Short mmCIF file of all heavy atoms in Angstrom, two decimals:
data_model
loop_
_atom_site.label_atom_id
_atom_site.label_comp_id
_atom_site.label_asym_id
_atom_site.label_seq_id
_atom_site.Cartn_x
_atom_site.Cartn_y
_atom_site.Cartn_z
N ASP A 289 202.72 43.48 59.78
CA ASP A 289 201.68 42.46 59.79
C ASP A 289 200.31 43.06 59.42
O ASP A 289 199.33 42.91 60.15
CB ASP A 289 201.62 41.79 61.15
CG ASP A 289 200.75 40.53 61.14
OD1 ASP A 289 200.56 39.97 60.05
OD2 ASP A 289 200.27 40.15 62.22
N THR A 290 200.24 43.74 58.32
CA THR A 290 199.04 44.37 57.75
C THR A 290 198.53 45.53 58.60
O THR A 290 198.58 46.68 58.18
CB THR A 290 197.90 43.35 57.55
OG1 THR A 290 198.39 42.27 56.75
CG2 THR A 290 196.71 44.00 56.84
N ASN A 291 197.98 45.27 59.81
CA ASN A 291 197.44 46.37 60.62
C ASN A 291 197.84 46.28 62.09
O ASN A 291 197.28 46.98 62.93
CB ASN A 291 195.92 46.44 60.51
CG ASN A 291 195.23 45.21 61.09
OD1 ASN A 291 195.89 44.26 61.51
ND2 ASN A 291 193.90 45.23 61.12
N THR A 292 198.80 45.41 62.42
CA THR A 292 199.29 45.40 63.80
C THR A 292 199.89 46.75 64.15
O THR A 292 199.62 47.33 65.21
CB THR A 292 200.33 44.29 64.00
OG1 THR A 292 199.71 43.03 63.74
CG2 THR A 292 200.88 44.31 65.42
N LEU A 293 200.68 47.29 63.24
CA LEU A 293 201.22 48.64 63.38
C LEU A 293 201.27 49.26 62.00
O LEU A 293 201.82 48.67 61.06
CB LEU A 293 202.62 48.63 64.00
CG LEU A 293 203.33 49.99 64.09
CD1 LEU A 293 202.59 50.91 65.04
CD2 LEU A 293 204.77 49.80 64.54
N PHE A 294 200.66 50.44 61.86
CA PHE A 294 200.64 51.12 60.57
C PHE A 294 201.03 52.57 60.78
O PHE A 294 200.38 53.30 61.53
CB PHE A 294 199.24 51.04 59.94
CG PHE A 294 199.14 51.66 58.58
CD1 PHE A 294 199.43 50.94 57.44
CD2 PHE A 294 198.75 52.99 58.44
CE1 PHE A 294 199.34 51.52 56.18
CE2 PHE A 294 198.67 53.59 57.19
CZ PHE A 294 198.96 52.84 56.05
N VAL A 295 202.10 52.99 60.11
CA VAL A 295 202.53 54.38 60.17
C VAL A 295 202.22 55.02 58.83
O VAL A 295 202.76 54.63 57.79
CB VAL A 295 204.04 54.49 60.48
CG1 VAL A 295 204.47 55.96 60.50
CG2 VAL A 295 204.37 53.82 61.80
N ASP A 296 201.30 56.00 58.85
CA ASP A 296 200.88 56.70 57.64
C ASP A 296 201.79 57.92 57.45
O ASP A 296 201.67 58.92 58.15
CB ASP A 296 199.42 57.14 57.78
CG ASP A 296 198.84 57.70 56.49
OD1 ASP A 296 199.62 58.22 55.67
OD2 ASP A 296 197.61 57.65 56.31
N ALA A 297 202.71 57.82 56.52
CA ALA A 297 203.70 58.88 56.33
C ALA A 297 203.07 60.16 55.81
O ALA A 297 203.49 61.26 56.17
CB ALA A 297 204.79 58.40 55.38
N SER A 298 202.06 60.05 54.96
CA SER A 298 201.46 61.25 54.37
C SER A 298 200.66 62.05 55.40
O SER A 298 200.61 63.28 55.35
CB SER A 298 200.55 60.87 53.20
OG SER A 298 199.50 60.03 53.64
N ALA A 299 200.03 61.36 56.36
CA ALA A 299 199.22 62.03 57.38
C ALA A 299 199.95 62.18 58.70
O ALA A 299 199.42 62.76 59.65
CB ALA A 299 197.91 61.27 57.60
N ASN A 300 201.15 61.63 58.77
CA ASN A 300 201.92 61.66 60.02
C ASN A 300 201.11 61.11 61.20
O ASN A 300 201.00 61.75 62.25
CB ASN A 300 202.41 63.08 60.33
CG ASN A 300 203.42 63.58 59.33
OD1 ASN A 300 204.26 62.81 58.85
ND2 ASN A 300 203.35 64.85 58.97
N SER A 301 200.50 59.96 61.01
CA SER A 301 199.69 59.34 62.04
C SER A 301 200.03 57.87 62.17
O SER A 301 200.62 57.27 61.26
CB SER A 301 198.19 59.51 61.73
OG SER A 301 197.88 58.97 60.46
N VAL A 302 199.65 57.32 63.31
CA VAL A 302 199.99 55.92 63.62
C VAL A 302 198.72 55.17 63.95
O VAL A 302 197.89 55.64 64.74
CB VAL A 302 200.97 55.84 64.81
CG1 VAL A 302 201.24 54.38 65.18
CG2 VAL A 302 202.27 56.56 64.47
N GLY A 303 198.55 54.01 63.37
CA GLY A 303 197.42 53.16 63.69
C GLY A 303 197.88 51.84 64.27
O GLY A 303 198.84 51.23 63.79
N ILE A 304 197.21 51.40 65.34
CA ILE A 304 197.44 50.08 65.91
C ILE A 304 196.13 49.32 65.76
O ILE A 304 195.10 49.71 66.31
CB ILE A 304 197.85 50.16 67.38
CG1 ILE A 304 199.18 50.92 67.52
CG2 ILE A 304 197.98 48.77 68.01
CD1 ILE A 304 199.63 51.13 68.96
N GLY A 305 196.15 48.28 64.96
CA GLY A 305 194.92 47.55 64.68
C GLY A 305 194.09 48.18 63.59
O GLY A 305 192.97 47.76 63.33
N THR A 306 194.59 49.22 62.93
CA THR A 306 193.88 49.89 61.85
C THR A 306 194.88 50.43 60.84
O THR A 306 195.99 50.84 61.21
CB THR A 306 192.99 51.03 62.36
OG1 THR A 306 192.35 51.67 61.26
CG2 THR A 306 193.79 52.06 63.15
N THR A 307 194.50 50.45 59.58
CA THR A 307 195.37 51.00 58.53
C THR A 307 194.91 52.38 58.08
O THR A 307 195.43 52.92 57.12
CB THR A 307 195.39 50.05 57.31
OG1 THR A 307 194.05 49.88 56.82
CG2 THR A 307 195.99 48.71 57.67
N SER A 308 193.91 52.93 58.78
CA SER A 308 193.43 54.28 58.42
C SER A 308 193.24 55.12 59.67
O SER A 308 192.12 55.49 60.01
CB SER A 308 192.12 54.18 57.63
OG SER A 308 191.15 53.44 58.36
N PRO A 309 194.32 55.40 60.41
CA PRO A 309 194.18 56.19 61.64
C PRO A 309 193.66 57.59 61.36
O PRO A 309 194.16 58.29 60.49
CB PRO A 309 195.61 56.22 62.19
CG PRO A 309 196.49 55.98 61.00
CD PRO A 309 195.72 55.06 60.11
N ALA A 310 192.62 57.99 62.12
CA ALA A 310 192.01 59.30 61.93
C ALA A 310 192.65 60.37 62.80
O ALA A 310 192.37 61.56 62.63
CB ALA A 310 190.51 59.23 62.23
N GLN A 311 193.47 59.97 63.76
CA GLN A 311 194.17 60.90 64.64
C GLN A 311 195.65 60.56 64.64
O GLN A 311 196.09 59.61 63.99
CB GLN A 311 193.61 60.82 66.06
CG GLN A 311 192.12 61.14 66.17
CD GLN A 311 191.80 62.58 65.84
OE1 GLN A 311 192.63 63.47 66.03
NE2 GLN A 311 190.59 62.83 65.33
N LYS A 312 196.45 61.35 65.36
CA LYS A 312 197.89 61.07 65.43
C LYS A 312 198.15 59.64 65.89
O LYS A 312 199.08 58.99 65.41
CB LYS A 312 198.56 62.06 66.39
CG LYS A 312 198.68 63.47 65.85
CD LYS A 312 199.63 63.53 64.65
CE LYS A 312 199.82 64.95 64.16
NZ LYS A 312 200.71 64.99 62.96
N LEU A 313 197.31 59.16 66.83
CA LEU A 313 197.39 57.77 67.25
C LEU A 313 195.97 57.25 67.39
O LEU A 313 195.16 57.81 68.12
CB LEU A 313 198.13 57.63 68.58
CG LEU A 313 198.13 56.23 69.20
CD1 LEU A 313 198.86 55.24 68.29
CD2 LEU A 313 198.77 56.25 70.59
N GLU A 314 195.64 56.18 66.68
CA GLU A 314 194.34 55.53 66.82
C GLU A 314 194.56 54.05 67.08
O GLU A 314 195.33 53.39 66.37
CB GLU A 314 193.49 55.71 65.56
CG GLU A 314 192.12 55.05 65.68
CD GLU A 314 191.23 55.28 64.48
OE1 GLU A 314 191.52 56.21 63.70
OE2 GLU A 314 190.24 54.53 64.33
N VAL A 315 193.88 53.55 68.10
CA VAL A 315 194.00 52.15 68.49
C VAL A 315 192.65 51.47 68.32
O VAL A 315 191.65 51.92 68.89
CB VAL A 315 194.48 52.01 69.95
CG1 VAL A 315 194.56 50.54 70.34
CG2 VAL A 315 195.83 52.69 70.13
N ASN A 316 192.62 50.40 67.54
CA ASN A 316 191.42 49.60 67.40
C ASN A 316 191.58 48.38 68.31
O ASN A 316 192.15 47.36 67.93
CB ASN A 316 191.23 49.17 65.94
CG ASN A 316 189.97 48.34 65.75
OD1 ASN A 316 189.13 48.25 66.64
ND2 ASN A 316 189.85 47.72 64.59
N GLY A 317 191.11 48.52 69.55
CA GLY A 317 191.30 47.47 70.55
C GLY A 317 191.48 48.08 71.92
O GLY A 317 191.36 49.29 72.11
N ASN A 318 191.75 47.26 72.88
CA ASN A 318 191.94 47.72 74.26
C ASN A 318 193.37 48.17 74.50
O ASN A 318 194.30 47.74 73.81
CB ASN A 318 191.59 46.59 75.24
CG ASN A 318 190.13 46.18 75.15
OD1 ASN A 318 189.27 47.01 74.90
ND2 ASN A 318 189.86 44.90 75.32
N ILE A 319 193.53 49.05 75.49
CA ILE A 319 194.85 49.56 75.86
C ILE A 319 195.09 49.23 77.33
O ILE A 319 194.22 49.47 78.18
CB ILE A 319 194.95 51.08 75.65
CG1 ILE A 319 194.74 51.43 74.18
CG2 ILE A 319 196.30 51.61 76.14
CD1 ILE A 319 194.68 52.93 73.92
N LEU A 320 196.24 48.71 77.65
CA LEU A 320 196.64 48.44 79.02
C LEU A 320 197.92 49.21 79.32
O LEU A 320 198.93 49.03 78.65
CB LEU A 320 196.86 46.94 79.24
CG LEU A 320 197.42 46.52 80.61
CD1 LEU A 320 196.43 46.88 81.71
CD2 LEU A 320 197.73 45.04 80.64
N ALA A 321 197.85 50.12 80.32
CA ALA A 321 199.02 50.86 80.77
C ALA A 321 199.37 50.37 82.16
O ALA A 321 198.57 50.51 83.09
CB ALA A 321 198.74 52.36 80.78
#
Side-chain angles (χ1 to χ4, degrees):
D289 192 22
T290 305
N291 65 355
T292 298
L293 175 65
F294 183 87
V295 179
D296 188 334
S298 61
N300 294 323
S301 57
V302 176
I304 298 176
T306 178
T307 58
S308 56
Q311 301 293 332
K312 288 294 183 182
L313 174 63
E314 180 177 343
V315 178
N316 181 11
N318 297 326
I319 299 174
L320 174 63

